[in-house]
Short mmCIF file of all heavy atoms in Angstrom, two decimals:
data_model
loop_
_atom_site.label_atom_id
_atom_site.label_comp_id
_atom_site.label_asym_id
_atom_site.label_seq_id
_atom_site.Cartn_x
_atom_site.Cartn_y
_atom_site.Cartn_z
N VAL A 1011 0.89 -16.45 113.47
CA VAL A 1011 -0.38 -16.48 112.75
C VAL A 1011 -0.21 -17.17 111.40
O VAL A 1011 -1.07 -17.94 110.97
CB VAL A 1011 -0.95 -15.06 112.58
CG1 VAL A 1011 -2.12 -15.06 111.61
CG2 VAL A 1011 -1.39 -14.51 113.94
N THR A 1012 0.90 -16.91 110.72
CA THR A 1012 1.16 -17.56 109.45
C THR A 1012 1.26 -19.07 109.63
O THR A 1012 0.64 -19.85 108.89
CB THR A 1012 2.47 -17.03 108.82
OG1 THR A 1012 2.33 -15.64 108.55
CG2 THR A 1012 2.79 -17.78 107.53
N ALA A 1013 2.04 -19.48 110.62
CA ALA A 1013 2.17 -20.91 110.89
C ALA A 1013 0.83 -21.52 111.29
O ALA A 1013 0.45 -22.60 110.81
CB ALA A 1013 3.21 -21.14 111.99
N ALA A 1014 0.10 -20.81 112.16
CA ALA A 1014 -1.19 -21.31 112.62
C ALA A 1014 -2.17 -21.44 111.44
O ALA A 1014 -2.91 -22.43 111.35
CB ALA A 1014 -1.76 -20.38 113.68
N ALA A 1015 -2.17 -20.43 110.56
CA ALA A 1015 -3.08 -20.47 109.41
C ALA A 1015 -2.71 -21.60 108.46
O ALA A 1015 -3.59 -22.32 107.96
CB ALA A 1015 -3.03 -19.14 108.67
N ILE A 1016 -1.41 -21.79 108.21
CA ILE A 1016 -0.98 -22.88 107.32
C ILE A 1016 -1.37 -24.22 107.92
O ILE A 1016 -1.84 -25.13 107.22
CB ILE A 1016 0.55 -22.81 107.08
CG1 ILE A 1016 0.89 -21.56 106.27
CG2 ILE A 1016 1.04 -24.06 106.36
CD1 ILE A 1016 2.38 -21.33 106.11
N ILE A 1017 -1.19 -24.35 109.22
CA ILE A 1017 -1.57 -25.59 109.89
C ILE A 1017 -3.08 -25.83 109.77
O ILE A 1017 -3.54 -26.93 109.45
CB ILE A 1017 -1.14 -25.55 111.37
CG1 ILE A 1017 0.38 -25.64 111.48
CG2 ILE A 1017 -1.80 -26.67 112.17
CD1 ILE A 1017 0.91 -25.34 112.85
N MET A 1018 -3.85 -24.78 110.01
CA MET A 1018 -5.30 -24.93 109.95
C MET A 1018 -5.76 -25.24 108.53
O MET A 1018 -6.65 -26.07 108.31
CB MET A 1018 -5.97 -23.67 110.48
CG MET A 1018 -7.41 -23.88 110.91
SD MET A 1018 -8.03 -22.55 111.96
CE MET A 1018 -7.28 -22.94 113.52
N ILE A 1019 -5.14 -24.58 107.54
CA ILE A 1019 -5.47 -24.85 106.14
C ILE A 1019 -5.12 -26.29 105.79
O ILE A 1019 -5.86 -26.97 105.08
CB ILE A 1019 -4.73 -23.86 105.22
CG1 ILE A 1019 -5.28 -22.44 105.41
CG2 ILE A 1019 -4.85 -24.28 103.76
CD1 ILE A 1019 -4.44 -21.36 104.76
N SER A 1020 -3.98 -26.76 106.31
CA SER A 1020 -3.56 -28.14 106.05
C SER A 1020 -4.54 -29.14 106.65
O SER A 1020 -4.92 -30.12 106.00
CB SER A 1020 -2.16 -28.38 106.62
OG SER A 1020 -1.22 -27.49 106.05
N VAL A 1021 -4.93 -28.89 107.88
CA VAL A 1021 -5.87 -29.81 108.54
C VAL A 1021 -7.22 -29.82 107.82
O VAL A 1021 -7.76 -30.87 107.48
CB VAL A 1021 -6.04 -29.45 110.02
CG1 VAL A 1021 -7.14 -30.29 110.65
CG2 VAL A 1021 -4.73 -29.64 110.78
N PHE A 1022 -7.76 -28.62 107.59
CA PHE A 1022 -9.04 -28.53 106.88
C PHE A 1022 -8.90 -29.06 105.45
O PHE A 1022 -9.79 -29.75 104.94
CB PHE A 1022 -9.54 -27.10 106.85
CG PHE A 1022 -10.03 -26.59 108.18
CD1 PHE A 1022 -9.90 -25.26 108.54
CD2 PHE A 1022 -10.63 -27.43 109.10
CE1 PHE A 1022 -10.35 -24.78 109.75
CE2 PHE A 1022 -11.08 -26.98 110.32
CZ PHE A 1022 -10.93 -25.65 110.65
N GLY A 1023 -7.78 -28.71 104.81
CA GLY A 1023 -7.57 -29.16 103.44
C GLY A 1023 -7.51 -30.66 103.31
O GLY A 1023 -7.89 -31.21 102.27
N GLY A 1024 -7.02 -31.35 104.35
CA GLY A 1024 -7.00 -32.80 104.29
C GLY A 1024 -8.38 -33.40 104.14
O GLY A 1024 -8.55 -34.47 103.55
N PHE A 1025 -9.39 -32.70 104.66
CA PHE A 1025 -10.77 -33.19 104.57
C PHE A 1025 -11.39 -32.94 103.20
O PHE A 1025 -12.48 -33.43 102.92
CB PHE A 1025 -11.63 -32.55 105.66
CG PHE A 1025 -11.32 -33.08 107.04
CD1 PHE A 1025 -10.30 -32.54 107.80
CD2 PHE A 1025 -12.04 -34.13 107.56
CE1 PHE A 1025 -10.01 -33.02 109.07
CE2 PHE A 1025 -11.76 -34.63 108.83
CZ PHE A 1025 -10.74 -34.08 109.58
N VAL A 1026 -10.71 -32.15 102.35
CA VAL A 1026 -11.22 -31.89 101.00
C VAL A 1026 -11.27 -33.19 100.20
O VAL A 1026 -12.10 -33.35 99.31
CB VAL A 1026 -10.34 -30.84 100.28
CG1 VAL A 1026 -10.77 -30.68 98.83
CG2 VAL A 1026 -10.43 -29.51 101.01
N PHE A 1027 -10.39 -34.12 100.52
CA PHE A 1027 -10.32 -35.39 99.79
C PHE A 1027 -10.81 -36.55 100.66
O PHE A 1027 -10.40 -37.69 100.49
CB PHE A 1027 -8.89 -35.63 99.32
CG PHE A 1027 -8.35 -34.50 98.49
CD1 PHE A 1027 -7.52 -33.54 99.06
CD2 PHE A 1027 -8.70 -34.36 97.16
CE1 PHE A 1027 -7.04 -32.48 98.31
CE2 PHE A 1027 -8.23 -33.30 96.41
CZ PHE A 1027 -7.39 -32.35 96.98
N SER A 1028 -11.69 -36.22 101.59
CA SER A 1028 -12.26 -37.23 102.48
C SER A 1028 -13.09 -38.23 101.70
O SER A 1028 -13.64 -37.94 100.63
CB SER A 1028 -13.13 -36.55 103.54
OG SER A 1028 -13.84 -37.51 104.29
N HIS A 1029 -13.19 -39.45 102.23
CA HIS A 1029 -14.05 -40.47 101.63
C HIS A 1029 -15.52 -40.20 101.91
O HIS A 1029 -16.39 -40.84 101.33
CB HIS A 1029 -13.67 -41.85 102.16
CG HIS A 1029 -13.87 -42.00 103.64
ND1 HIS A 1029 -13.12 -41.30 104.56
CD2 HIS A 1029 -14.74 -42.74 104.36
CE1 HIS A 1029 -13.51 -41.62 105.78
NE2 HIS A 1029 -14.50 -42.49 105.69
N LEU A 1030 -15.80 -39.24 102.79
CA LEU A 1030 -17.18 -38.86 103.10
C LEU A 1030 -17.55 -37.65 102.26
O LEU A 1030 -16.96 -36.57 102.41
CB LEU A 1030 -17.31 -38.54 104.59
CG LEU A 1030 -16.94 -39.68 105.56
CD1 LEU A 1030 -16.96 -39.18 106.99
CD2 LEU A 1030 -17.88 -40.85 105.38
N SER A 1031 -18.52 -37.80 101.37
CA SER A 1031 -18.85 -36.74 100.41
C SER A 1031 -19.32 -35.46 101.09
O SER A 1031 -19.06 -34.36 100.59
CB SER A 1031 -19.92 -37.24 99.42
OG SER A 1031 -21.11 -37.60 100.11
N MET A 1032 -20.02 -35.58 102.22
CA MET A 1032 -20.53 -34.39 102.89
C MET A 1032 -19.43 -33.57 103.53
O MET A 1032 -19.60 -32.38 103.78
CB MET A 1032 -21.57 -34.78 103.95
CG MET A 1032 -22.91 -35.14 103.39
SD MET A 1032 -24.15 -35.36 104.69
CE MET A 1032 -23.55 -36.85 105.48
N VAL A 1033 -18.28 -34.20 103.78
CA VAL A 1033 -17.19 -33.51 104.48
C VAL A 1033 -16.37 -32.65 103.53
O VAL A 1033 -15.83 -31.62 103.92
CB VAL A 1033 -16.29 -34.55 105.19
CG1 VAL A 1033 -15.07 -33.90 105.81
CG2 VAL A 1033 -17.11 -35.29 106.24
N ARG A 1034 -16.30 -33.05 102.26
CA ARG A 1034 -15.39 -32.37 101.32
C ARG A 1034 -15.67 -30.88 101.17
O ARG A 1034 -14.75 -30.07 101.30
CB ARG A 1034 -15.45 -33.07 99.97
CG ARG A 1034 -14.97 -34.51 100.01
CD ARG A 1034 -15.24 -35.21 98.70
NE ARG A 1034 -15.25 -36.65 98.87
CZ ARG A 1034 -15.92 -37.48 98.09
NH1 ARG A 1034 -16.63 -37.02 97.08
NH2 ARG A 1034 -15.88 -38.77 98.33
N PRO A 1035 -16.91 -30.47 100.87
CA PRO A 1035 -17.14 -29.02 100.75
C PRO A 1035 -16.93 -28.27 102.05
O PRO A 1035 -16.53 -27.10 102.03
CB PRO A 1035 -18.60 -28.92 100.28
CG PRO A 1035 -19.22 -30.23 100.63
CD PRO A 1035 -18.12 -31.24 100.55
N LEU A 1036 -17.18 -28.94 103.19
CA LEU A 1036 -16.91 -28.30 104.48
C LEU A 1036 -15.41 -28.05 104.64
O LEU A 1036 -14.98 -26.96 105.02
CB LEU A 1036 -17.40 -29.19 105.62
CG LEU A 1036 -18.87 -29.10 106.01
CD1 LEU A 1036 -19.18 -30.12 107.09
CD2 LEU A 1036 -19.22 -27.72 106.49
N GLY A 1037 -14.61 -29.08 104.35
CA GLY A 1037 -13.17 -28.94 104.46
C GLY A 1037 -12.63 -27.87 103.53
O GLY A 1037 -11.81 -27.03 103.93
N PHE A 1038 -13.12 -27.87 102.28
CA PHE A 1038 -12.64 -26.87 101.32
C PHE A 1038 -13.05 -25.47 101.72
O PHE A 1038 -12.24 -24.53 101.68
CB PHE A 1038 -13.19 -27.18 99.92
CG PHE A 1038 -12.81 -26.16 98.90
CD1 PHE A 1038 -11.55 -26.17 98.31
CD2 PHE A 1038 -13.70 -25.15 98.53
CE1 PHE A 1038 -11.20 -25.21 97.37
CE2 PHE A 1038 -13.36 -24.20 97.60
CZ PHE A 1038 -12.10 -24.22 97.01
N GLY A 1039 -14.32 -25.31 102.11
CA GLY A 1039 -14.81 -23.99 102.48
C GLY A 1039 -14.06 -23.42 103.66
O GLY A 1039 -13.71 -22.23 103.67
N LEU A 1040 -13.77 -24.25 104.66
CA LEU A 1040 -13.04 -23.77 105.84
C LEU A 1040 -11.57 -23.48 105.49
O LEU A 1040 -11.00 -22.50 105.95
CB LEU A 1040 -13.12 -24.79 106.96
CG LEU A 1040 -14.52 -24.94 107.60
CD1 LEU A 1040 -14.54 -26.10 108.58
CD2 LEU A 1040 -14.93 -23.65 108.30
N ALA A 1041 -10.98 -24.36 104.67
CA ALA A 1041 -9.57 -24.15 104.29
C ALA A 1041 -9.40 -22.88 103.48
O ALA A 1041 -8.52 -22.05 103.77
CB ALA A 1041 -9.06 -25.36 103.51
N ILE A 1042 -10.24 -22.69 102.47
CA ILE A 1042 -10.11 -21.50 101.63
C ILE A 1042 -10.53 -20.26 102.40
O ILE A 1042 -9.98 -19.17 102.20
CB ILE A 1042 -10.95 -21.67 100.33
CG1 ILE A 1042 -10.46 -20.71 99.23
CG2 ILE A 1042 -12.42 -21.44 100.59
CD1 ILE A 1042 -9.16 -21.12 98.62
N GLY A 1043 -11.48 -20.41 103.31
CA GLY A 1043 -11.90 -19.27 104.13
C GLY A 1043 -10.78 -18.81 105.04
O GLY A 1043 -10.54 -17.60 105.19
N VAL A 1044 -10.08 -19.76 105.67
CA VAL A 1044 -8.93 -19.40 106.51
C VAL A 1044 -7.83 -18.77 105.67
O VAL A 1044 -7.19 -17.79 106.08
CB VAL A 1044 -8.39 -20.65 107.25
CG1 VAL A 1044 -7.05 -20.36 107.92
CG2 VAL A 1044 -9.41 -21.13 108.28
N LEU A 1045 -7.61 -19.31 104.47
CA LEU A 1045 -6.60 -18.74 103.57
C LEU A 1045 -6.91 -17.28 103.27
O LEU A 1045 -6.04 -16.39 103.38
CB LEU A 1045 -6.56 -19.55 102.26
CG LEU A 1045 -5.63 -19.01 101.17
CD1 LEU A 1045 -4.18 -19.13 101.60
CD2 LEU A 1045 -5.87 -19.76 99.86
N PHE A 1046 -8.16 -17.00 102.87
CA PHE A 1046 -8.55 -15.62 102.56
C PHE A 1046 -8.46 -14.73 103.79
O PHE A 1046 -7.95 -13.61 103.72
CB PHE A 1046 -9.98 -15.59 102.00
CG PHE A 1046 -10.12 -16.22 100.64
CD1 PHE A 1046 -11.32 -16.79 100.23
CD2 PHE A 1046 -9.06 -16.25 99.76
CE1 PHE A 1046 -11.47 -17.37 98.99
CE2 PHE A 1046 -9.18 -16.84 98.50
CZ PHE A 1046 -10.39 -17.40 98.12
N ASP A 1047 -8.99 -15.23 104.91
CA ASP A 1047 -9.07 -14.38 106.10
C ASP A 1047 -7.70 -14.10 106.70
O ASP A 1047 -7.40 -12.97 107.09
CB ASP A 1047 -9.98 -15.02 107.15
CG ASP A 1047 -10.41 -14.03 108.21
OD1 ASP A 1047 -11.39 -13.31 107.97
OD2 ASP A 1047 -9.75 -13.97 109.25
#
Side-chain angles (χ1 to χ4, degrees):
V1011 169
T1012 298
I1016 292 174
I1017 290 169
M1018 200 163 282
I1019 292 168
S1020 301
V1021 173
F1022 288 148
F1025 288 86
V1026 174
F1027 304 99
S1028 171
H1029 62 293
L1030 301 173
S1031 60
M1032 283 188 291
V1033 174
R1034 297 172 201 153
L1036 276 176
F1038 176 80
L1040 290 173
I1042 200 73
V1044 170
L1045 175 67
F1046 292 152
D1047 196 84

